[in-house]
């Protein structure tokens, strides 16, 4: 079938979704039974869906989530201390609209990063800007930006994004520069945006990680007082999944 001039005009106008739907309608005789309004509605719906997909792809690329995780894939049957009702409210995302934080703690292998990325993915799907950083890389980026010039621009990005995910918090005691950077970030975000912190270190030991009593009080005041908490417990998910996965050549039954 030859390309229709209308298809070419839709492409030229940047309406690729409508162009695809237009060609599909030309190839489908079953659509002849639809009214003009119904066929136009299908074209518009396809264009809207295409644009939503492009926006989601852009948000996910910007978010740079460490893991490809979705809330629909979270296994709540494995005992990890996750309250289903609490987690359902976190998935709904109203806490992000209220600029509240989430602190996910627990031993290594319990899925803190995976859960954080799954909530980040859901926030992207809900049209919210998200950004993921591991703490060591975040401070490296800030140190480089301080030397090269775009330090203020990076701080502004970290301050404005609607959901910031800070992973691997507490792996080392902060330096003086890192403490100041963290306070700047959290001060910009306090009452304006939400932050997820994932850490192996219990919250009651975070003062020790910060390494300065005065700045520790200021940082934790901005992070903890309006925060939800997920304290994960139980067996490492890596060990659990390794046991559940059949050996090569073994029967699945």
């Amino acid at each position: 079938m030859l390309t229709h001039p209308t298809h070419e005009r839709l492409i030229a106008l940047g309406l690729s979704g409508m162009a695809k739907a237009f060609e599909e309608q030309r190839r489908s005789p079953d659509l002849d039974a639809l009214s003009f309004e119904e066929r136009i509605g299908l074209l518009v719906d396809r264009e809207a869906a295409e644009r939503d997909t492009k926006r989601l792809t852009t948000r996910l690329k910007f978010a740079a989530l460490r893991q490809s995780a979705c809330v629909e894939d979270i296994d709540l049957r494995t005992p990890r201390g996750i309250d289903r009702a609490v987690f359902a409210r976190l998935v709904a995302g109203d806490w992000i609209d209220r600029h509240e934080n989430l602190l996910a703690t627990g031993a290594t292998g319990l899925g803190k990063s995976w859960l954080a990325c799954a909530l980040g993915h859901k926030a992207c799907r809900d049209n919210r800007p998200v950004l993921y950083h591991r703490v060591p890389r975040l401070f490296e980026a800030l140190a480089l930006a301080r030397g090269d010039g775009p330090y203020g621009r990076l701080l502004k990005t970290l301050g404005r994004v609607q959901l910031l995910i800070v992973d691997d918090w507490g792996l080392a005691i902060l330096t003086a520069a890192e403490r100041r950077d963290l306070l700047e970030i959290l001060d910009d975000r306090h009452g304006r945006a939400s932050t997820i912190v994932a850490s192996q270190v219990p919250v009651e030991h975070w003062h020790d990680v910060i390494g300065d009593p005065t700045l520790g009080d200021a940082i934790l005041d901005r992070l903890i007082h309006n925060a939800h908490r997920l304290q994960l417990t139980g067996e490492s998910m890596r060990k659990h999944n390794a046991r559940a996965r059949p050996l090569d050549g073994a029967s699945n039954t």
Side-chain angles (χ1 to χ4, degrees), residues 81-199:
I82 302 176
D83 184 277
R84 290 175 180 265
V86 170
F87 194 74
R89 290 196 292 273
L90 292 174
V91 170
D94 293 345
W95 60 282
I96 302 176
D97 295 328
R98 296 190 297 268
H99 313 309
E100 297 167 352
N101 300 324
L102 171 62
L103 314 179
T105 57
T108 184
L110 289 176
K112 301 179 297 299
S113 299
W114 203 94
L115 288 169
C117 288
L119 291 171
H121 186 274
K122 178 59 165 56
C124 286
R125 286 159 52 190
D126 291 339
N127 201 27
R128 294 183 171 105
V130 178
L131 186 58
Y132 171 96
H133 273 288
R134 291 183 62 246
V135 167
R137 296 289 180 86
L138 172 60
F139 287 135
E140 285 178 11
L142 286 165
L144 289 172
R146 189 183 292 108
D148 295 342
Y151 178 74
R153 187 164 66 249
L154 178 54
L155 280 182
K156 185 178 291 186
T157 299
L158 293 168
R160 287 183 174 178
V161 69
Q162 201 166 353
L163 178 62
L164 176 65
I165 300 174
V166 179
D167 198 4
D168 288 339
W169 159 257
L171 295 181
I173 297 175
L174 302 185
T175 65
E178 291 169 348
R179 287 191 288 267
R180 290 193 297 270
D181 285 343
L182 183 59
L183 181 58
E184 286 291 330
I185 294 167
L186 294 178
D187 192 57
D188 286 345
R189 299 182 59 75
H190 183 59
R192 302 181 183 92
S194 296
T195 303
I196 296 178
V197 179
S199 176

Side-chain angles (χ1 to χ4, degrees), residues 169-175 179 201 205-212:
W169 159 257
L171 295 181
I173 297 175
L174 302 185
T175 65
R179 287 191 288 267
V201 180
H205 296 312
W206 286 9
H207 242 294
D208 300 332
V209 171
I210 296 169
D212 179 281

